[in-house]
């Protein structure tokens, strides 16, 4: 244990449970439903409302070998290629073999997918897939439908839910085992302010960390809270340098910040073309799949064209779809484009890459267990080894489903007993950053650790982030003096403090990985180097709050727990 914790008031109330699930996307709610079905007293904690996470924004669909002629083995091959040598093959095999039945169970839970005239699940293609294996709902509203079905199931099961709650830190017992979490509930309700859920099993399903960058497809709640909590608790994270930038995000202007509208890869899957201002397709000849190449390849190609032409975006041309196809297949994207003054029926869509998905996260085994006993992670916050250096399109929802079921099975089998939490760390709590530092962090990360990185840009980012950290420490040290500037604890301060921790670890890993692989693109190290770098960077935080990096000996992950 690190002894590191956020500056926060002591819990003023508590709930007892067998399991607390933090997050309400596909990973969190599936875990909660399976745990409750196994007779475990389960509490769901979510940062906003139950349906406000990233799952709701997923457009394209969920990948699984459901179509005629498709097989899990073919799905595995496509996933391994996209992961550029860093996927854990055992994890991928678990995903693709258990995936089809997991999707069918999701349908049994109440999710309605689009079907063909024959009543079969309608399937499309996306980047990196050699088969049509993407199931979708509402045309381009798959995540919204999955979220709707799971939220309804949770409410029908009368699960105990705590909404509008930001998780703070892990509670542990005298032996270092998980004993619950502290959290802060915003606004009025049955609980308010800082409290605790005391439980021997904690499942982090908090989603991504896209808000470390200025422009992202992630919702505002995606501030890396789960990864930051796990680091403070002493857990290992891995592959954090592999941040996937979605190639086709609606370009709203060079100065646009915050959540940006996504233009799903499924649009390219149905035949849209990437073109420059003159209408010339530039993906032809760059990859056998052209516009349907893996995301890292397409994002790099777009970025190169932007640099070549001195512009802030390229175009996605799908005018040949016609109005009827746009309205039926992609109604969400059509509405988003028109809301910003662009009609894709009659004109190309301006697009540019934006931060989309964290391929790395809290290191887990195939049952979702982390390096801290009793702490589990699932979904985007986790690093199962499935995604390697670059996630294959539409594998994320499937990963949440499959590994959520594994986690629930492990907890139900283990049925850990509740233990007494011991007081927090011995050292001083983490100094909080002022909320206005959020924009500074995002601009530092976009400038120094975005799509295109270099030793110089990453070094500059590291220096600027460390300066923010030092200033916060200095301000905290002045507390009690007449000129005290220490930041008052609160949601915005906790979020930005989490963003800083995650950013420092991401930059440290990106500086160490001296090669280009997947969605980690170093302009000063443009080649892939399997001899030295076909392995993982595992990071933990030392008690003095500095990142400690360890390079694995091979592409395989070491066990999360020592052998008994």
């Amino acid at each position: 244990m690190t002894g590191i914790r956020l500056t926060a008031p002591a819990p003023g109330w508590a709930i007892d449970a067998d399991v607390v699930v933090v997050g309400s996307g596909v990973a969190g709610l599936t875990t909660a439903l399976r745990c409750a079905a196994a007779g475990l007293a389960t509490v769901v904690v979510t940062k906003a409302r139950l349906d406000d996470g990233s799952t709701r924004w997923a457009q394209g669909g969920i990948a699984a070998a459901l179509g005629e002629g498709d097989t899990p083995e073919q799905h595995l091959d496509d996933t391994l290629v996209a992961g550029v040598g860093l996927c854990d093959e055992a994890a991928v095999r678990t995903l693709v073999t258990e995936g089809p039945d997991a999707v069918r169970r999701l349908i049994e839970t109440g999710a309605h997918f689009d079907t063909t005239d024959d009543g079969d699940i309608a399937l499309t293609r996306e980047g990196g897939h050699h088969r049509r294996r993407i199931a979708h709902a509402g045309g381009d509203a798959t995540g919204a439908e999955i979220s709707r079905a799971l939220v309804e199931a949770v409410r029908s099961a009368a699960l105990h839910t705590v909404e509008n709650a930001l998780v703070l830190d892990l509670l542990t017992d005298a032996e270092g085992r998980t004993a619950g979490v502290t959290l802060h509930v915003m606004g009025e309700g049955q609980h308010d302010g800082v409290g605790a859920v005391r439980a021997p099993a904690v499942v982090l399903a908090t989603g991504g960390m896209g808000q470390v960058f200025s422009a992202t497809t992630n919702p505002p709640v995606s501030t890396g809270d789960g990864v930051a909590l796990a680091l403070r608790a002493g857990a290992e994270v891995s592959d954090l340098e592999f941040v996937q930038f979605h190639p086709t995000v609606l370009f709203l202007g060079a100065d646009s910040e915050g959540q940006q509208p996504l233009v799903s890869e499924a649009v390219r899957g149905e035949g849209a073309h990437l073109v420059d201002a003159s209408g010339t397709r530039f993906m032809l000849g760059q990859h056998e799949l052209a516009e349907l190449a893996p995301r890292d390849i397409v994002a790099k190609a777009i970025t190169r064209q932007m640099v070549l032409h001195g512009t802030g975006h390229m175009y996605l041309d799908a005018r040949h779809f016609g109005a009827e196809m746009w309205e039926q297949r992609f109604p969400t994207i059509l509405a988003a484009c028109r809301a910003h003054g662009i009609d894709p029926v009659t004109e190309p869509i301006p697009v540019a890459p934006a931060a989309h998905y964290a391929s790395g996260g809290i290191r887990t085994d195939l049952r979702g267990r982390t390096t801290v006993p009793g702490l589990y992670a699932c979904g985007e916050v986790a690093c199962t080894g499935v995604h390697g250096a670059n996630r294959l399109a539409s594998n994320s929802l499937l990963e949440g489903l499959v590994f959520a079921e594994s986690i629930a099975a492990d907890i139900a089998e283990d049925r850990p007993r509740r233990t007494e939490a011991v007081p927090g760390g011995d050292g001083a709590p983490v100094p909080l950053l002022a909320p206005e530092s959020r924009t500074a962090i995002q601009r530092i990360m976009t400038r120094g650790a975005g799509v295109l990185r270099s030793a110089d840009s990453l070094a500059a980012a590291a220096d600027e982030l460390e300066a923010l950290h030092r200033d916060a420490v200095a301000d905290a040290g002045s507390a009690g003096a007449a000129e005290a500037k220490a930041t008052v604890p609160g949601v915005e301060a906790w979020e930005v403090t989490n963003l800083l921790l995650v950013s420092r670890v991401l930059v440290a890993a990106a500086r160490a990985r001296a090669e280009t692989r997947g969605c980690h693109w170093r302009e000063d190290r443009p080649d892939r180097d399997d001899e030295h770098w076909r392995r993982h960077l595992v990071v933990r935080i030392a008690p003095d709050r500095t990142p400690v990096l360890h390079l694995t000996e091979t592409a395989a992950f070491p066990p999360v727990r020592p052998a008994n």
Side-chain angles (χ1 to χ4, degrees):
M1 303 303 293
T2 66
I4 303 172
R5 66 190 189 283
L6 288 172
T7 299
W13 51 268
I15 303 170
D16 290 322
D18 296 323
V19 186
V20 54
V21 178
V22 186
S24 60
V26 62
L29 295 189
T30 301
T31 303
L33 286 166
R34 298 291 181 268
C35 285
L40 297 162
T42 305
V43 173
V44 176
V45 172
T46 188
K47 192 171 178 181
R49 296 173 304 175
L50 281 179
D51 64 348
D52 271 348
S54 290
T55 291
R56 179 163 67 93
W57 298 97
Q59 294 174 345
I62 185 166
L66 296 163
E68 185 177 351
D70 197 7
T71 65
E73 201 70 25
Q74 293 177 68
H75 190 182
L76 179 140
D77 290 343
D78 286 344
T79 301
L80 295 180
V81 169
V84 203
L86 281 188
C87 295
D88 182 295
E89 188 166 338
V92 178
R93 195 168 292 281
T94 297
L95 178 85
V96 299
T97 55
E98 297 183 12
D101 282 343
V103 173
R104 294 182 184 103
R105 284 189 288 274
L106 179 61
I107 293 170
E108 292 171 3
T109 302
H112 301 292
F113 288 94
D114 296 337
T115 57
T116 65
D117 292 340
D118 297 329
D120 298 325
I121 296 175
L123 301 172
T124 190
R125 274 183 71 195
E126 290 185 356
H129 293 272
H130 284 78
R131 290 274 188 177
R132 284 184 169 264
R133 65 168 67 94
I134 316 300
H136 48 84
D140 58 358
T142 310
E145 171 57 19
I146 290 173
S147 181
R148 179 206 62 77
L150 290 173
V151 168
E152 283 192 10
V154 164
R155 287 177 173 151
S156 295
L159 264 66
H160 189 158
T161 61
V162 183
E163 296 182 279
N164 301 306
L166 172 64
V167 67
L168 300 176
D169 279 308
L170 191 72
L171 293 170
T172 54
D173 63 17
E175 297 180 356
R177 184 180 174 84
T178 294
V181 290
T182 55
L183 62 157
H184 174 80
V185 179
M186 300 165 267
E188 297 178 0
Q190 183 179 357
H191 306 289
D192 197 6
V194 175
V197 179
R198 299 182 295 217
V202 172
V203 183
L204 296 177
T206 52
M209 54 186 190
Q211 291 291 327
V212 301
F213 296 97
S214 296
T216 177
T217 62
N218 290 189
V221 295
S222 297
T223 51
D225 306 318
V227 170
L229 176 151
L231 283 166
R232 288 192 298 272
E236 293 179 349
V237 304
S238 187
D239 298 356
L240 223 59
E241 66 270 33
F242 297 115
V243 177
Q244 186 177 82
F245 285 75
H246 198 289
T248 53
V249 175
L250 184 62
F251 181 74
L252 302 180
D255 297 326
S256 60
E257 296 181 337
Q259 186 179 8
Q260 313 285 301
L262 179 66
V263 182
S264 170
E265 200 150 298
V267 178
R268 281 176 281 137
E270 296 292 352
H273 302 145
L274 283 165
V275 298
D276 60 21
S278 68
T280 302
R281 290 178 67 184
F282 54 83
M283 286 305 301
L284 295 175
Q286 295 210 29
H287 190 276
E288 61 169 339
L289 295 176
E291 279 89 356
L292 287 178
R295 288 179 175 175
D296 63 311
I297 294 171
V298 180
K300 290 171 187 174
I302 292 174
T303 302
R304 287 192 187 101
Q305 290 295 316
M306 287 161 49
V307 172
L308 179 66
H309 293 278
T311 62
H313 62 86
M314 287 288 110
Y315 294 93
L316 188 66
D317 192 351
R319 290 175 289 179
H320 53 285
F321 285 5
E324 183 178 355
M325 181 174 175
W326 267 111
E327 290 164 1
Q328 294 184 2
R329 180 67 178 86
F330 300 111
T332 306
I333 299 169
L334 178 64
C337 288
R338 286 177 170 170
H340 291 282
I342 299 152
D343 189 350
V345 177
T346 60
E347 59 186 317
I349 306 167
V351 293
H356 182 58
Y357 190 88
S359 292
I362 307 164
R363 192 166 77 82
T364 74
D365 63 11
L366 297 186
R367 295 178 77 82
R369 298 176 294 191
T370 74
T371 51
V372 175
L375 179 65
Y376 297 79
C378 190
E380 188 173 353
V381 74
C383 181
T384 62
V386 159
H387 305 308
N390 182 48
R391 174 175 68 87
L392 181 65
S394 287
N395 267 356
S396 53
L397 292 174
L398 190 71
E399 182 193 34
L401 273 182
V402 168
F403 289 93
E405 294 185 343
S406 297
I407 288 171
D410 191 76
I411 298 172
E413 179 182 318
D414 189 34
R415 293 193 178 266
R417 62 182 181 84
R418 298 175 193 171
T419 55
E420 193 69 30
V422 296
D426 299 327
V430 173
L432 301 178
L433 266 70
E436 53 266 28
S437 298
R438 181 172 182 142
T439 300
I441 292 171
Q442 292 169 334
R443 290 176 179 172
I444 290 167
M445 292 298 291
T446 298
R447 187 168 56 244
V451 178
L452 185 56
R453 304 164 175 176
S454 69
D456 289 345
S457 76
L458 290 164
D463 288 345
E464 291 178 88
L465 293 171
E466 288 307 312
L468 288 174
H469 176 67
R470 286 195 304 271
D471 288 348
V473 172
D475 288 347
S478 70
E483 72 279 8
K485 296 185 292 183
T487 300
V488 176
V491 172
E492 292 181 339
W494 289 319
E495 283 186 333
V496 74
T497 302
N498 286 338
L499 285 174
L500 178 62
L501 175 56
V502 171
S503 296
R504 291 173 67 212
V505 173
L506 191 161
V507 168
R511 292 183 76 184
R513 183 170 289 280
E515 65 159 355
T516 289
R517 182 184 297 269
C519 49
H520 173 65
W521 185 13
R522 288 275 298 260
E523 62 178 338
D524 59 323
R525 299 279 186 161
D527 299 320
R528 170 177 163 181
D529 181 0
D530 278 356
E531 181 181 355
H532 299 100
W533 288 106
R534 191 173 174 232
R535 50 191 73 184
H536 301 274
L537 278 165
V538 176
V539 189
R540 60 179 176 83
I541 291 294
D544 66 358
R545 303 170 191 152
T546 58
V548 178
L549 281 69
H550 167 69
L551 191 64
T552 61
E553 295 181 1
T554 68
F557 276 122
V560 298
R561 308 277 167 78
N564 293 326

